[in-house]
């Protein structure tokens, strides 16, 4: 790691600053000028571009470094952390994407409201906003660690840099600007991973020497992780993909339902090789530096590169951080505006765009407040993915089991899932049952009981007129 602190530091800092300046200028040039562009890019995004957006949402800075770290400890099976996203996008395209797209909505809560009603919509929205805020607290913390090292600044200053730069991206860019700039971010990220992989393979002499020296489980399908954990990872990732707000918003930006489905298949294809590459990088680090801390399984190769390559890869990691923060923050802003601001204030399109940008600035500040003044909030992040999984179960029932389309049952199921998942985790996952499964089963059980006790579910009220909303925000 010392190489990052000596002669090549100036090159790294210069490249990162130049990259931030260029992408900020590009964002401003591609900025959203209407609410429709801000929220859905006027439904004109090519499927390939949206596929990159979807991939970037689930293969960010944390999963890039984290997968290599886990592979250092547990073997190639760590790649399932990314391969699960590939499976999830494939299933999402086959089972859900057309139904969500044809709802005419760009928030998961509003789509669910068409089946269950307003109170369920608000419950879903609050749960999702809370979960995504916690996700961004984690993005700020992990991203700040990388930026603090690269730019030689303190952690608080690094977090402020993330807040300022990423806020500029999505406040001005909206989905339209973020989508196109993310293509550049993702290109840097993928090329960076390929460079690290190439350096790792050159140092190890290929895969055969690693297989000869390392324990056999390093190259087995389940490693030291085991089937139960791999299944829980995959199950949770699939569930999160089905309900994560930015995923729904991104597929709504395509011109048609068929294009939305193509985008999910592209995302699945993009994630597949990254899982293998990141896992092999971690295993190579174990082969070369067996006594090193696993956290450095990926960064350790930076000091083995020529200065220019090292600067490029470091910049690619920084780019990955900005992608993660931008997409999550944009998703939160969309939920706040669509589900709370527009229904109650009924603004003009111009006023809506202005207030969306105001809300976006506040959303950028909130993770800083959480981290600096309520650091314990990080301890609550364990159930963010589980909560999103519970939303997925409710959404799937609304589309495939309309018999259960009860506003009361869905709301009770979501609240019950939040409570039961939290309690189950605090009890230490009794009987070896992961809290992810509790999040999945609770809404089903609660909604089934409500249906049996209360009888036939009444028709859910129409919570919104999605097409009218789209037309109103178009200019």
């Amino acid at each position: 790691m010392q190489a990052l602190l000596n002669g090549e530091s100036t090159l790294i800092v210069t490249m990162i600053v130049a990259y931030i300046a260029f992408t900020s200028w590009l964002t401003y040039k591609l900025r959203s000028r209407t609410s429709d562009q801000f929220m859905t890019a006027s439904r004109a995004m090519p499927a390939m571009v949206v596929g990159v957006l979807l991939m970037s949402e689930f293969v960010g800075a944390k999963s890039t470094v984290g997968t290599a770290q886990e592979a250092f400890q547990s073997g190639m099976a760590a790649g399932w952390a990314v391969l699960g996203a590939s499976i999830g996008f494939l299933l999402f395209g086959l089972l859900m994407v057309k139904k969500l797209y044809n709802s005419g909505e760009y928030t998961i809560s509003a789509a669910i409201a068409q089946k269950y009603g307003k109170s369920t919509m608000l419950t879903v929205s609050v749960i999702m906003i809370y979960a995504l805020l916690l996700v961004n607290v984690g993005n700020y913390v992990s991203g700040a660690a990388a930026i603090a090292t690269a730019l030689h600044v303190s952690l608080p200053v690094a977090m402020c840099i993330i807040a300022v730069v990423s806020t500029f991206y999505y406040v001005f860019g909206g989905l339209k600007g973020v989508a196109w700039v993310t293509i550049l971010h993702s290109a840097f990220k993928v090329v960076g991973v390929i460079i690290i992989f190439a350096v790792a393979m050159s140092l190890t002499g290929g895969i055969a020497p690693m297989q000869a020296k390392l324990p056999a489980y390093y190259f087995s399908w389940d490693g030291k992780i085991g089937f139960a954990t791999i299944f829980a990872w995959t199950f949770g990732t699939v569930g999160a993909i089905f309900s994560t707000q930015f995923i729904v918003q991104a597929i709504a930006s395509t011109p048609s339902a068929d294009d939305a489905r193509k985008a999910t298949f592209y995302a699945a294809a993009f994630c597949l090789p990254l899982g293998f590459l990141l896992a092999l990088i971690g295993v190579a680090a174990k082969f070369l530096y067996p006594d090193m801390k696993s956290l450095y399984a990926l960064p350790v190769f930076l000091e083995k590169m020529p200065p220019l390559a090292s600067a490029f890869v470091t910049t690619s990691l920084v780019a990955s951080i900005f992608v993660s923060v931008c997409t999550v923050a944009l998703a939160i802003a969309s939920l706040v505006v669509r589900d709370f601001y527009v229904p109650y204030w009924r603004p003009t399109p111009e006023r809506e765009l202005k207030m969306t940008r105001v809300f976006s600035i506040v959303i950028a500040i909130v993770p800083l407040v959480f981290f600096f003044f309520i650091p314990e909030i990080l301890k609550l992040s364990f159930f963010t993915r589980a909560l999103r999984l519970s939303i997925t179960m409710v959404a799937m029932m609304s589309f495939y089991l309309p018999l259960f389309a009860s506003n009361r049952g869905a709301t009770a199921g979501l609240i019950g899932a939040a409570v039961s998942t939290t309690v189950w985790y605090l009890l230490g996952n009794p009987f070896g049952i992961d809290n992810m499964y509790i999040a999945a089963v609770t809404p089903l059980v609660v909604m089934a009981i409500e249906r049996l006790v209360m009888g036939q579910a009444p028709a859910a009220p129409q919570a919104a007129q999605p097409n009218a909303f789209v037309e109103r925000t178009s200019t």
Side-chain angles (χ1 to χ4, degrees), residues 284-301:
K286 180 67 175 180
F287 172 77
L288 295 167
Y289 315 104
D291 299 323
M292 178 185 68
K293 290 183 178 179
S294 62
L295 177 63
Y296 300 114
L298 187 144
V300 70
F301 293 106

Side-chain angles (χ1 to χ4, degrees), residues 370-384:
F370 278 2
F371 179 75
F372 288 122
F373 297 102
I374 319 175
E376 294 82 7
I377 199 73
L378 287 174
K379 298 177 183 178
L380 302 178
S381 63
F382 63 86
F383 60 89
T384 58

Side-chain angles (χ1 to χ4, degrees), residues 328-364:
V328 172
L330 182 59
I332 297 170
S334 302
L335 288 166
V336 171
V337 171
R338 170 62 185 86
D339 296 344
F340 296 96
Y341 178 65
V342 168
Y344 294 103
W345 275 269
R346 300 190 179 280
T348 63
E350 294 77 15
R351 178 70 176 172
E352 180 183 333
L353 179 59
K354 180 179 179 180
M355 290 306 300
T356 298
R357 286 178 166 147
V358 172
F359 292 140
S360 297
I361 293 172
V362 175
I363 289 165

Side-chain angles (χ1 to χ4, degrees), residues 16 25 52 55-56 70 92 96 105 125 150-151 155 170 172 178 189 219 240 263 271 273 290 305 347 380 432 437-438:
I16 291 174
W25 170 82
V52 173
M55 178 273 291
S56 68
E70 184 63 33
F92 183 57
M96 278 284 283
E105 292 289 357
S125 192
L151 300 182
L155 204 60
Y170 73 87
F172 284 99
V178 166
K189 175 172 62 181
F219 292 91
C271 290
M305 301 177 186
L380 302 178
Y437 301 123
I438 303 301

